[in-house]
Amino acid sequence: MEAAGEAEARLLLLQEARESIEAARSYRRELQQRLRGLRQARDQIKDSAMVTRDVLEQHFTDLKGTLRKLLDERLLSLLQEVDVIEQESIKPLDECQKLIEHGVSTADELLREGESAVDGDVGQQNEKLCNFTKKAFHIQLDSLPEVPSLVDVPCLSAQLDDSLLTILRNQIFSHGTVASRPPVQLEEFVEKPGGILVRWCKVDDDFSAQDYRLQFRKGTASPFEDAYVGSETEFMVLHLDPHVDYQFRVCARGDGRQEWSPWSVPQLGHTTLVPHEWTAGLEGYSLSSRRNIALRNDSQASGVLYSKAPTYSCGQTLTFRIETVGQPDRRDSLGVCVEQHNGCDSLQRDRAVCISTNGAVFVNGKEMTNQLPAVTSGSTVTFDMEVVQLGSCSNEGGNFKLRVTISSNNREVVFDWVLDQCCGSLYFGCSFSYPGWKVLVF
C-alpha cells in the first residue's frame, strides 16, 4: 500500500511538473510574441522618425531654395526699375547738355570773330564789325537754356520695410508641426465577397475632419491608389482578389484646410470570400467583365438572371446597387432563393424572397403588407439573414427559419422565412421586364 501511494504521489508530481513545463512554454511563447511586438513598435518609431527627418530636411531645403529664388527675382526687378528711372531721368539732361555745349561752341566762335574784328586792319575793320554785330544779333546772346534745379530731378532711394522680417520670422517659426501620431487610424476590416469593408476613426479629439482619403495597394510593393475621398468613415473596396493581402492607409483634411494630414499606420487586409458573379450567357442580360454588373438589354427574352453559384451565406450582407433604371413592372424582382428555377420569369415564387422595383416585398411568392420605397437610380437594396433553427436540421429535412432584413432608402422590413431544409448558402437573382436596368451586386 505504501509503495502504491508513493507511485501515485510520484505520478501526481510528474503530472504537475508536465503542466508547469507546458505553462512555462506557453508563457515563454507569449513573452517572445510581446518582444516581437516591442521590436515592431520600436522599428515603427525609429523608421517614422528617420522618414520625418528626411521630409523636414528636404522640405526646408526646397523652401530655402524657393525663397532665395524669389528674393533674387525681386532684387532683379527692383534693380531693373532703378535702371529705367535713371535712364528716363538722364535723357532730358543729356539733351540739355548738348544744347548748352552747342551754345558754348557758338559763343567761342563768336568771341574769336569779335576779337578778330576789333583787332583787325583798319581798312577792313568796319566791314568785320558790321558782320560781327549782325551775327551776334541773330544768335540772341541773352537767350539761355533752362537747367532744372536739383529738387526738380529724381533722387533715387530704396524703400525697404523691416516689418517683412518680422512677418517672415513669425511665419517661419510657426511653419510645420511634428505629430507623434496621425489624427485618424484604420479601425476595422470586414470581409465581403470580392471586397473589404474598411472602417476608420479619429484618434485626435482636437482634430476636426472635413474629408477623408483612403488608399490601398496590392501587396506592399506596388504604388498606392485612391479608393475613396469623402466625409464618410467607411468604404467598401471592391474588385479584390480572394486570399491576397492588400495594404490600406487613410488620412484626413482638417476643416477649412487644403493640405492632408499624415497617413495612418498602414495595415494589411484580405478577403477569403469569392466575389459574387451573375451567370453568363442568359439572353436578355449583358454582363460586365467581372460579371458583377448586369444590364437588362433590348432582347425580348425574359427570365430570372441567377448568380453563378450559391455564394450568399447567412451572416453576410448582400447588396444590390441600382446604377440605372428602366421602366418598372410589378413582376420585377431582386432577391435570394434556395435554388435556380430557369422556367420562372420572376423571383416572386416559392422558396425565394425578393423586392420588386415598386418596393413590394414577396416571401415565397406572397406579397407582404409592409412595403419599401420604390427603387431609383443610385438606390441600394441590402439583404441580411441570420439563422433561427426550428426542430431538427439534417439531410432528411426539418423546419429551418431565417430572420431576413431587407433595407432600401433608409427603410427596412424584418420577417422570418421558414424553409423545409437547411440552407448553408443561397443563390441571388434579378428579373426585369423592360430594358435599361443596371444592377451591381456585392
Side-chain angles (χ1 to χ4, degrees), residues 29 238 254 359:
R29 284 195 299 269
L238 296 173

Side-chain angles (χ1 to χ4, degrees), residues 330-331 347-349 352 354-356 358-372 415:
R330 61 177 304 275
R331 294 290 294 167
L347 286 173
Q348 299 173 20
R349 61 171 176 81
C354 67
I355 177 177
S356 179
N358 63 5
V361 178
F362 292 84
V363 182
N364 292 331
K366 296 180 180 179
E367 183 175 354
M368 291 185 61
T369 304
N370 294 335
Q371 185 167 331
L372 292 171
F415 56 90

